[in-house]
């Protein structure tokens, strides 16, 4: 490698370091950036000049100083561009526009008719492009425009190759999502598993390690984050705890196995628990607001709905006890619309953990994610891979 290449590559590495630091610590002075990165003041000044010219960093007044001149403070420019995040679930697709600090500035939820859910890759592509275009049109003018779109998918996907191996509840196999969408868009596209997106979001909100995110939807998607990085395993599909067997003679899962955890701890299972109590028609199907309706009825005092949530919590607890025994996480976060039912889920999960997990795993921290954790994590894929 030539000397010129070396110094160019080194400058890129240093620029990333300075960008990350300003992003995480805004507002911060040049001298603090120099002290925290170990880079000399002249290098930091030159890199900051580049970032200011590109409008990723802005000067925001003066900081404090014990003596001498007050330092000029730097801040990452959240409005330098925008990201799109999409959360594809089986009964709805949520699409958001966020600024570069991850703040949601526009959100759209499109209900999907579950009874018509066996859609093809072409149909899903059409839905994704329609939603992305609609949200992109809401973006305010900015120096860099839309920098990218991140898509959370409920199944086995490879973040590196952009390939969806298998989306069990959508009946899609081996689909090159990024290539299919990129042809129609002017910005890059990233995909990841919904559990991984939720885990990244939960880690950013409250860093803890290892962290496990459990996304409860029609199925159960999970993600593991260790020291801020998603644990992906050998072929990129680690964390498919939704398909761990919890009953050898259990229900048939869409993945082909019997007794998978998601058959007992998902919205599908919750619907069944309500049907078994005579609270819903045997023919009733899931709809986009299902979890919200169940939680509302429980909050209003309907004992049957409260019991169904407690049953679901018990089964969530069984899987969580297994995960805790295997991973020994610092924190487990439950996401998806059903997280609003924490008042019934939490005690049921805790009770199972006390009986079925070992040592300190009995006391593992259990949190419930905010509503937009997965879709925010999807948008964050763009920031993480294009800016930081
Ligand atoms: Zn399965």
């Amino acid at each position: 490698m030539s000397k010129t290449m070396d110094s160019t590559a080194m400058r890129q590495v240093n620029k990333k370091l300075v960008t990350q630091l300003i992003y995480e610590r805004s507002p911060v002075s040049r001298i603090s950036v120099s002290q925290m990165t170990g880079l000399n003041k002249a290098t930091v000044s030159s890199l900051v000049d580049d970032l200011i010219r590109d409008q990723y960093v802005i000067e925001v007044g003066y900081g404090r100083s014990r003596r001498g001149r007050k330092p000029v403070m730097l801040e990452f420019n959240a409005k330098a561009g925008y990201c799109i995040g999409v959360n594809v679930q089986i009964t709805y697709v949520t699409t958001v526009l966020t600024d570069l600090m991850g703040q949601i500035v526009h959100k759209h939820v499109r209900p999907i008719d579950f009874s018509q859910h066996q859609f093809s890759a072409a149909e899903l592509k059409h839905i994704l492009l329609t939603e992305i275009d609609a949200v992109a049109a809401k973006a305010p003018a900015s120096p860099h425009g839309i920098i990218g779109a991140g898509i959370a998918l409920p199944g086995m996907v490879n973040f590196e190759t952009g390939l969806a191996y298998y989306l069990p509840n959508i009946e899609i196999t081996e689909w090159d999502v990024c290539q299919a969408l990129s042809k129609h868009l002017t910005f890059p596209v990233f995909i990841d598993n919904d559990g991984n997106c939720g885990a990244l979001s939960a880690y950013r909100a409250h860093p803890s390690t290892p962290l496990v995110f459990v996304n409860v939807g029609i199925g159960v998607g999970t993600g593991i984050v260790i020291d801020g990085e998603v644990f992906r395993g050998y072929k990129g599909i680690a964390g498919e705890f939704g398909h761990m067997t919890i009953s050898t003679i259990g229900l048939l899962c869409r993945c082909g196995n019997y007794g998978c955890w998601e058959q007992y701890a998902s919205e599908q299972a919750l619907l069944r628990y309500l049907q078994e109590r005579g609270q819903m028609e045997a023919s009733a199907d899931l709809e986009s607001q299902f979890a919200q309706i169940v939680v509302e009825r429980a909050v209003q005092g309907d004992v049957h709905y409260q019991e169904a949530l407690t049953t679901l919590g018990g089964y969530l607890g069984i899987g969580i006890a297994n995960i805790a025994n295997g991973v020994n996480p610092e924190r487990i976060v439950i996401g998806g619309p059903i997280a609003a039912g924490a008042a019934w889920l939490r005690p049921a999960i805790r009770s199972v953990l006390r009986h079925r997990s070992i040592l300190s795993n009995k006391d593992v921290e259990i949190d419930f994610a905010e509503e937009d954790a997965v879709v925010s994590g999807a948008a964050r894929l763009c920031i993480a891979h294009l800016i930081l």
Side-chain angles (χ1 to χ4, degrees), residues 139-184:
S142 65
H144 296 277
I146 307 274
I147 66 159
I151 303 171
L153 290 165
M156 294 151 216
V157 305
N158 190 314
F159 165 79
E160 298 292 341
T161 60
L163 198 71
Y165 292 126
Y166 181 44
L167 306 179
N169 293 301
I170 308 186
E171 309 294 335
I172 284 173
T173 47
E174 298 285 319
W175 181 37
D176 194 334
V177 186
C178 293
Q179 193 194 44
L181 297 182
S182 294
K183 279 191 257 175
H184 304 272

Side-chain angles (χ1 to χ4, degrees), residues 194-388:
D194 54 359
N196 290 348
C197 291
L200 280 172
S201 210
Y203 182 86
R204 182 159 167 77
H206 176 186
S208 31
T209 191
L211 179 151
V212 178
F213 189 90
V214 179
N215 191 45
V216 181
I218 298 273
V220 175
T222 56
I224 307 165
V225 165
I226 301 172
D227 293 330
E229 297 287 330
V230 172
F231 175 73
R232 297 188 182 278
Y234 175 49
K235 295 242 176 176
I237 55 166
E240 281 295 336
F241 288 116
H243 299 284
M244 71 180 154
T245 306
I246 64 162
S247 167
T248 52
I249 51 163
L251 295 164
L252 175 63
C253 181
R254 285 177 193 275
C255 75
N257 183 34
Y258 287 87
C260 289
W261 183 33
E262 74 170 34
Q263 292 304 313
Y264 301 87
S266 60
E267 288 188 13
Q268 279 182 92
L270 182 59
L271 172 66
R272 206 172 59 240
Y273 302 145
L274 285 162
Q275 287 167 331
E276 286 164 3
R277 285 172 172 78
Q279 297 303 305
M280 283 207 176
E281 294 288 322
S283 59
D285 224 333
L286 290 170
E287 49 169 300
S288 64
Q289 296 287 311
F290 172 72
Q292 289 91 329
I293 292 166
V294 173
V295 173
E296 229 166 79
R297 291 285 294 263
V299 170
Q300 286 163 1
D302 190 316
V303 178
H304 295 289
Y305 282 72
Q306 293 173 349
E307 285 174 359
L309 282 170
T310 298
T311 303
L312 182 78
Y315 279 106
L316 274 169
I318 287 175
I320 286 171
N322 288 338
I323 295 170
N325 285 342
V327 179
N328 185 215
E330 184 179 351
R331 192 161 69 104
I332 294 183
V333 183
I334 320 284
I338 206 63
W344 293 275
L345 300 177
R346 188 193 296 277
I349 293 169
R350 285 250 78 101
S351 162
V352 175
L353 275 170
R354 269 196 301 278
H355 292 103
R356 294 185 185 266
S357 61
I358 55 163
L359 301 171
S360 64
N361 292 329
K362 290 181 191 298
D363 304 314
V364 63
E365 193 182 338
I366 303 289
D367 274 349
F368 290 82
E370 50 90 21
E371 189 185 351
D372 295 315
V374 172
V375 76
S376 295
R380 182 126 193 105
L381 293 174
C382 312
I383 301 163
H385 296 281
L386 296 170
I387 307 280
L388 302 178

